[in-house]
Amino acid sequence: MKNKHKFSLLFTIVAFLTLFLTGCSNNSSSTASNNQITVNYTLKQGKKTVSDKSVKIPKKKAKVITGLKKAWKVQETKGFITSIDGKKQNPKKKIYWTYTINGKWATKGADKQAVANKDKVKFTLDKVK
């Protein structure tokens, strides 16, 4: 009878710990994912796609420039991008970096423009008319 009681107690403890630890691990991973968003960035040179990356960035710092700098080497002046991954704009030839978010032209510099989860940001280096 004592063995049966010990077995029941051991089984209950193992079941409790399994449920407890499973619950803890799920909560911590969902909390981590709640603090980050994923943004898709595409780089184009003219009509040619040069690079395409999905980047995770903190929700608190969800600006266009945050993910861009995480994925590529970027140079900027006052929030306006002057070079990405060594590809520089050329003001004399009127070639500049411009960008859209979800197909709409941005109205702010990359350091001020907010992004949301699953946004699609496309940077294009091309002649501006």
Side-chain angles (χ1 to χ4, degrees):
M1 192 84 162
K2 283 186 176 184
N3 285 340
K4 189 175 181 183
H5 181 65
K6 286 180 183 179
F7 179 74
S8 294
L9 181 61
L10 181 63
F11 180 76
T12 304
I13 291 171
V14 169
F16 174 76
L17 287 174
T18 302
L19 291 172
F20 178 76
L21 293 175
T22 303
C24 288
S25 67
N26 286 342
N27 287 341
S28 64
S29 66
S30 66
T31 302
S33 66
N34 287 339
N35 293 329
Q36 290 195 338
I37 62 171
T38 302
V39 179
N40 181 270
Y41 288 84
T42 302
L43 300 184
K44 295 186 83 161
Q45 195 162 2
K47 294 184 181 191
K48 181 183 173 189
T49 298
V50 178
S51 186
D52 190 24
K53 295 182 183 181
S54 289
V55 183
K56 289 186 184 243
I57 58 175
K59 222 181 227 186
K60 290 181 181 180
K61 298 180 181 181
K63 304 288 183 198
V64 169
I65 201 160
T66 307
L68 189 65
K69 283 185 172 183
K70 188 172 181 180
W72 295 278
K73 184 178 177 187
V74 176
Q75 293 179 343
E76 50 106 4
T77 303
K78 297 181 182 177
F80 292 96
I81 306 305
T82 58
S83 174
I84 303 173
D85 209 25
K87 295 167 181 49
K88 298 180 181 182
Q89 60 186 24
N90 186 335
K92 290 180 181 179
K93 293 184 178 181
K94 296 184 180 180
I95 296 174
Y96 296 96
W97 279 108
T98 58
Y99 75 97
T100 60
I101 299 177
N102 301 322
K104 297 180 182 178
W105 289 103
T107 58
K108 299 176 184 175
D111 65 335
K112 303 254 188 288
Q113 182 65 55
V115 286
N117 195 35
K118 298 184 182 179
D119 274 352
K120 296 180 186 325
V121 180
K122 184 183 349 176
F123 275 88
T124 305
L125 181 64
D126 205 354
K127 190 169 190 167
V128 177
K129 297 175 184 175

